[in-house]
């Protein structure tokens, strides 16, 4: 359970209709098998002890009696299972019959949750047999000496994992306009379990998946859905399974249909708690009318089976990636279009280095000008060769500008920077930070002055990853009048340029873009070695794929270093050694905290995703915050890992 991960299981057993003894044996066996996989919350389908499709047999006293007896057999036989179990059975109370979920824990029945909404249409006639469940709990005597609460308003709270609070609903409850899970979540539950018996008809799987993902997103919760499968009566309908484990709108695991299957994954309850803290519209309600039952779980480390994406900003499949790229390019271009319209600018000035970021900025600017109906010749694309410029990047910059139809301006900065070195008494042979930053500031001065001359606007090229690391020269490439790439991470910049190359329909432009993509990332501020780039950014600050991964989990979810490292270990297994990941995680925290002052005066730019560093809304972080407690945790991780 370390770091908030709770392993859960949804089981679709092969039942026999109206055979509680057989079904109980299957439930016991599969509960133990799920527990061996580490599951500590295990859910079975609706009416799993009897089978859902018993029809009028639910009115038979013998079936009801045997179902209740089998409930206690299951409880006794799973007393050594370190998990909370949810099983379904018909239960009589007060002369009425209810479709219920029983909650078992270490041999005891903690509570009974009745179904609220009963379908009474087509092939389902539950109202013929069952009554609508009560909200407020009532005491129900299951047998002599065993009285438990029965009602929908119940919460099962883990004493050893305070962020784990579980509630339940039954099948059709989720389909209703006002599912009980809404109240459960607002009362504090962050894991909703659903015992279901949803039949299969064409297209229903898509709708069912949408319900589960949508509810988990709306309620910011984990949703554990166990559906009936093979074994139920096929007299009129077929039950095909499709159990699901969802977390805040994402399906973590889904069973195949038309088979009996157990699915297991992990719900991150700490992440859910953090998301609810962020969501100002998630307003808790008075939970005083809820009956709370406590249980405890072993807090040992949970092995993660869930997929951890090493590139969280980039969709995995090509179709999704292309859609994301088109959407982001549209957002960037529309943001710049509005700014140009508002200011009345008919001219944009962009510094082009032949690298990825400036290439993307020029592509976006060209799109914005097309939207405005302004000729691309009004884009002043300036290439400014310096001490580190190579023939490759220079030629790519020139060809890119020409292919896009912008106005090419070439201004060497070498002479101006040498004069500046004389003015400030800088030794030109001293390749220090002054040597580098003087070039960056000279370039920005040129761009700003040209913009003044032409009544134009300087378009910023720096991306979010550079801003997070402070990898920008203050009042140099750090400054512009509108930063179109300000919330685009470096790992996504590459895909945006590639998408443009694939879709532009211009063979010559595609060729240039592909070579830009193949060029090492570099500020080119140090002299080349044998005509090649001598200064590679990732050799200095670390791999951007690691830093973007850190950035996503630190800013999007507020995870601590130990959890970020654990996720990175899984995501980059085989690609980076633990020592390497920790090294760059340490660099990330040090640079992220020390460089906030650069982000505090960031120019305007469009937000394109859920993570951004704008000081006006997304990251209101003090420039003088101490990094001490974060570095302390990283250093403890180094000690634990035996890394010096």
């Amino acid at each position: 359970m370390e770091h908030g991960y709770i392993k859960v299981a949804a089981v679709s057993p092969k039942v026999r209709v109206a055979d509680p003894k057989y079904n109980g044996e299957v439930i016991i066996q599969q509960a133990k098998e799920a527990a061996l996989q580490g599951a500590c919350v295990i859910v079975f389908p609706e009416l799993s002890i009897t089978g859902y499709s018993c029809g009028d047999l639910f009115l038979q006293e013998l079936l009801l009696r045997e179902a209740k007896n089998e409930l206690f057999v299951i409880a006794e036989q799973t007393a050594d299972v370190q998990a909370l179990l949810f099983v379904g059975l018909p239960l009589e109370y007060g002369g009425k019959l209810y479709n219920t979920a029983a909650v078992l824990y270490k041999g005891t029945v903690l509570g009974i949750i009745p179904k609220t909404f009963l379908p009474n249409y087509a092939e389902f006639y539950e109202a013929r047999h069952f009554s609508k469940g009560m909200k407020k709990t009532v005491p129900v005597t299951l047998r002599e000496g065993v009285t438990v609460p029965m009602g929908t308003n119940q919460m099962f709270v883990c004493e050893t994992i305070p962020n784990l609070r579980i509630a339940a609903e039954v099948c059709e409850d989720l389909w209703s306009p006002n599912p009980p899970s809404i109240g459960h979540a607002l009362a504090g539950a962050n894991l909703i379990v659903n015992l279901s018996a949803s039949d299969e008809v064409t297209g229903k799987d898509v709708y069912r998946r949408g319900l589960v993902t949508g509810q988990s997103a709306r309620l910011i919760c984990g949703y554990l859905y166990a559906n009936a499968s093979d074994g139920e009566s096929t007299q009129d309908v077929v039950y095909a399974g499709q159990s699901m484990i969802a977390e805040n709108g994402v399906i973590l695991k889904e069973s195949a249909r038309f088979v009996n299957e157990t699915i297991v994954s992990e719900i991150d309850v700490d992440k859910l708690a953090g998301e609810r803290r962020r969501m100002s519209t998630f307003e808790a309600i008075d939970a005083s009318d809820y009956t709370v039952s406590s249980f405890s779980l072993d807090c040992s480390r949970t092995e993660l089976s869930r997929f951890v994406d090493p590139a969280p900003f980039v969709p995995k499949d090509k179709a999704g990636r292309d859609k994301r790229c088109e959407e982001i390019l549209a957002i960037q271009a529309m943001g710049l279009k509005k700014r140009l319209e508002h200011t009345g600018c008919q001219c944009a000035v962009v510094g082009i280095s032949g690298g990825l970021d400036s290439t993307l900025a020029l592509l976006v600017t060209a799109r914005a000008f097309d939207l405005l109906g302004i000729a691309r010749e009004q884009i002043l694309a300036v290439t400014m060769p310096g001490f580190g410029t190579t023939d490759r990047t220079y030629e790519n910059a020139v060809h890119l500008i020409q292919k896009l139809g912008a106005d090419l301006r070439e201004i060497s900065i070498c002479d101006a920077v040498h004069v500046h070195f004389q003015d400030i008494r800088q030794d030109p042979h001293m390749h220090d930070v002054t040597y580098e930053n003087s070039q960056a500031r000279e370039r920005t001065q040129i761009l700003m002055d040209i913009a003044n001359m032409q009544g134009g606007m300087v378009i910023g090229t720096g991306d979010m990853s550079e801003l997070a690391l402070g990898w920008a020269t203050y009042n140099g490439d750090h400054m512009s009048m509108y930063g179109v790439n300000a919330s685009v991470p470096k790992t996504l910049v590459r895909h945006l340029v590639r998408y443009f190359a694939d879709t532009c329909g211009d063979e010559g432009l595609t060729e240039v873009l592909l070579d830009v993509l193949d060029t090492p990332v570099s500020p080119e501020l140090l002299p080349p070695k044998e005509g090649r780039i001598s200064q590679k950014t990732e050799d200095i600050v670390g791999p951007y794929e690691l830093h973007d991964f850190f950035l996503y989990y630190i800013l999007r979810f507020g995870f601590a270093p130990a959890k970020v490292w654990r996720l990175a270990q899984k995501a980059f297994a085989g690609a980076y050694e633990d020592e390497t990941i920790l090294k760059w995680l340490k660099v990330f925290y040090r640079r992220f905290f020390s460089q906030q002052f650069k982000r505090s005066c960031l120019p305007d730019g469009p937000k394109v995703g859920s993570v951004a560093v704008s000081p006006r809304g997304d990251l209101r972080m003090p420039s003088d915050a101490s990094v001490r407690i974060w570095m302390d945790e990283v250093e403890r991780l180094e000690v634990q890992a035996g890394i010096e």
Side-chain angles (χ1 to χ4, degrees), residues 359 363 396 399-400 403-404 497-518:
T359 295
L363 295 174
N396 278 340
H399 293 155
L400 176 67
K403 287 293 181 183
L404 288 172
V497 173
R498 180 63 198 237
Y499 172 76
F500 205 101
D502 291 342
T503 59
C504 67
D506 183 325
E507 186 176 340
L509 178 57
T510 297
E511 185 178 345
V512 176
L513 294 176
L514 292 180
D515 197 60
V516 170
L517 285 163
D518 194 46

Side-chain angles (χ1 to χ4, degrees), residues 119-243:
N120 200 33
Y121 53 84
E123 66 278 12
F124 299 110
Y125 297 98
E126 283 193 42
R128 177 183 176 96
H129 313 114
F130 300 109
S131 295
K132 181 175 182 176
M134 67 291 292
K135 280 190 175 183
K136 191 170 176 135
T137 60
V138 295
V140 175
T141 300
L142 299 178
R143 67 182 183 186
E144 187 176 353
V146 179
T147 300
V148 301
M150 175 176 169
T152 61
N153 284 7
Q154 292 194 66
M155 195 86 65
F156 303 90
V157 179
C158 184
E159 296 175 336
T160 48
I161 307 170
N163 278 337
L164 178 57
R165 303 172 65 87
I166 306 172
E169 59 187 3
V170 182
C171 196
E172 189 77 12
D173 291 347
L174 176 60
W175 267 255
S176 71
N178 186 25
S181 52
I182 295 176
H184 297 336
L186 295 178
N190 57 6
L191 176 57
I192 305 295
V193 304
N194 187 317
L195 297 78
S196 182
S198 176
D199 69 316
E200 204 62 33
V201 293
T202 302
K204 193 173 183 180
D205 62 318
V206 177
Y207 184 70
R208 192 186 293 119
R209 187 183 302 112
L211 281 175
V212 171
T213 54
Q215 195 71 343
S216 71
R218 185 178 304 106
L219 303 182
I220 314 177
C221 69
Y223 202 98
L224 184 52
Y225 181 90
N227 198 13
S229 187
D230 183 30
E232 292 285 355
S233 173
T234 59
Q235 182 174 354
D236 290 304
V237 295
V238 170
Y239 297 86
Q242 198 189 16
S243 295

Side-chain angles (χ1 to χ4, degrees), residues 8-45:
V8 300
V11 185
S12 293
K14 184 165 186 172
V15 299
R16 288 181 183 170
V17 179
D19 190 344
K21 181 173 177 55
Y22 173 83
N23 296 336
E25 291 171 352
V26 173
I27 289 170
I28 292 165
Q29 177 187 348
Q30 296 195 341
K32 291 183 176 182
E33 290 174 357
L36 286 175
Q37 296 182 61
C40 60
V41 180
I42 304 170
V43 182
F44 289 85

Side-chain angles (χ1 to χ4, degrees), residues 93-105:
Y93 168 75
K96 297 292 183 181
L97 190 61
Y98 296 88
N99 178 344
T100 73
V103 188
L104 309 180
Y105 174 67

